[in-house]
Amino acid sequence: MKIAWQLTKPRLIPYFLLFAGASLALGIIYSVIIGLSSAIFPVFLVFLLPMPLVNIYFLIGLYSSIIRYMDGKEQKFQLSTVFEPFRRWKQLLPVALILMAISIVIWIPVMIISMIPLIGIFANMVAVIIMFIVATAYFFYIAENMNNPTIDLIKTPLKLIVSSVPRWLAATGAYLLTCIMPCVILATIAAGVFVASGII
């Protein structure tokens, strides 16, 4: 966690602004498309299909920028690096489509199981952690090896996970901890303000 902070600190604001801006833009587009599909005609749901692809390309570019910074190849935040996968969209399209298909196949049964009381919540949490590890491995590997054959980009990240599951779980636990701690602190402050102001 200490090393991650030292690597991230000099570029924290550009990464945060880019990620927050992209997330907001994608969220607005999702909301508009879903709103139109329910109000006018379900055909608008077809427009949702390119959105996961855009998200995959964006994350690969973001991870590529992180790797180049860690390796000392880029000392400053380069927007061109983030959008490099979009310029190689044809080359990366087979990998992105396969990852999308695998994700859908996994999430459909998970969503069904999630509807079971108590067991569903636990199953959903486990699935989220596993998918986070898998996605992180794939995005980092693809970002560093974009020119590799499609078969290699699909098979190798899975081998890396299986060979060192404890280390992946430890890193994921540290990541979740850093995400949860600020939320707990902010929630505590908000609760204190609400109580002090008489709001229930």
Side-chain angles (χ1 to χ4, degrees):
M1 289 173 65
K2 183 180 178 182
I3 294 171
W5 171 247
Q6 289 173 347
L7 286 169
T8 308
K9 185 169 56 175
R11 315 181 88 190
L12 191 61
I13 293 177
Y15 273 124
F16 172 77
L17 292 176
L18 178 65
F19 191 78
S23 300
L24 178 63
L26 287 171
I28 292 173
I29 294 170
Y30 266 113
S31 301
V32 170
I33 293 174
I34 292 174
L36 289 173
S37 66
S38 59
I40 303 174
F41 195 72
V43 73
F44 280 97
L45 286 174
V46 175
F47 291 105
L48 282 177
L49 295 177
M51 300 302 293
L53 286 174
V54 172
N55 194 36
I56 288 173
Y57 286 138
F58 173 74
L59 288 173
I60 291 173
L62 198 67
Y63 282 40
S64 179
S65 180
I66 294 170
I67 290 170
R68 292 186 187 185
Y69 174 70
M70 290 170 63
D71 291 343
K73 296 177 181 177
E74 293 181 359
Q75 297 301 321
K76 294 182 179 180
F77 179 79
Q78 300 289 336
L79 200 59
S80 59
T81 301
V82 176
F83 288 102
E84 184 178 347
F86 290 94
R87 294 192 292 272
R88 301 187 182 191
W89 70 272
K90 289 183 180 179
Q91 179 185 350
L92 296 173
L93 185 60
V95 181
L97 290 175
I98 292 171
L99 292 179
M100 279 178 57
I102 294 173
S103 177
I104 291 170
V105 169
I106 293 173
W107 275 113
I108 288 175
V110 168
M111 291 297 101
I112 295 172
I113 295 172
S114 297
M115 292 187 284
I116 303 173
L118 297 178
I119 297 175
I121 297 172
F122 177 76
N124 190 272
M125 289 175 61
V126 171
V128 167
I129 291 173
I130 292 173
M131 290 297 288
F132 174 79
I133 292 173
V134 171
T136 302
Y138 270 98
F139 289 143
F140 263 120
Y141 187 78
I142 294 171
E144 199 170 15
N145 303 277
M146 290 187 204
N147 295 320
N148 287 18
T150 301
I151 296 176
D152 175 69
L153 295 178
I154 294 297
K155 294 173 92 174
T156 305
L158 197 59
K159 292 179 181 178
L160 295 174
I161 297 170
V162 173
S163 63
S164 54
V165 172
R167 297 188 69 184
W168 280 101
L169 288 173
T172 303
Y175 173 82
L176 293 174
L177 185 64
T178 57
C179 289
I180 292 170
M181 284 174 60
C183 295
V184 171
I185 293 170
L186 291 173
T188 304
I189 294 171
V193 172
F194 288 155
V195 170
S197 60
I199 298 174
I200 298 176

